[in-house]
Amino acid sequence: MRKVLASLVAGVAAMVMLVGCTGVTPMNGSLYTNLKGPIAVGDAATASKTGTAKSTAIIGIATGDSSIETAMANGGITKVHHVDTHVTNILGIYATYETIVYGE
């Protein structure tokens, strides 16, 4: 019984680690993911500036800051027009999550 429980816990832990930072996307390819999609819309009239922020995961260890606030600061944006995301995942070994903010 202990072996079965230990195997179950190890299997669940392995699955959680393989998801990485791409677990927040609406869909994932089990071998490869390369998705772009919308996140939000703001009240800015134009999208003359662009700012990005990125997080990276390698073998289950994720680091970075892909927040909208950081993307706005990186692009010098004070009013948001819209926000997109770009997710890449390769075999659960390497993954990136990028937030792209457009605004003025």
Side-chain angles (χ1 to χ4, degrees):
M1 181 67 171
R2 282 186 170 172
K3 283 186 175 183
V4 171
L5 185 57
S7 295
L8 180 63
V9 169
V12 169
M15 288 176 60
V16 168
M17 288 185 348
L18 286 175
V19 170
C21 64
T22 61
V24 295
T25 62
M27 64 183 183
N28 279 324
S30 60
L31 299 177
Y32 179 74
T33 302
N34 186 13
L35 298 173
K36 291 183 180 182
I39 294 178
V41 176
D43 59 358
T46 63
S48 58
K49 296 180 182 178
T50 303
T52 62
K54 190 179 211 178
S55 297
T56 304
I58 300 173
I59 311 175
I61 298 172
T63 62
D65 181 356
S66 53
S67 67
I68 293 173
E69 181 179 10
T70 299
M72 287 175 67
N74 290 343
I77 298 169
T78 56
K79 292 180 75 177
V80 175
H81 184 267
H82 70 282
V83 182
D84 288 337
T85 185
H86 181 212
V87 177
T88 304
N89 182 9
I90 302 169
L91 297 173
I93 296 170
Y94 176 78
T96 61
Y97 186 94
E98 184 176 21
T99 302
I100 305 109
V101 177
Y102 302 88
E104 46 188 58

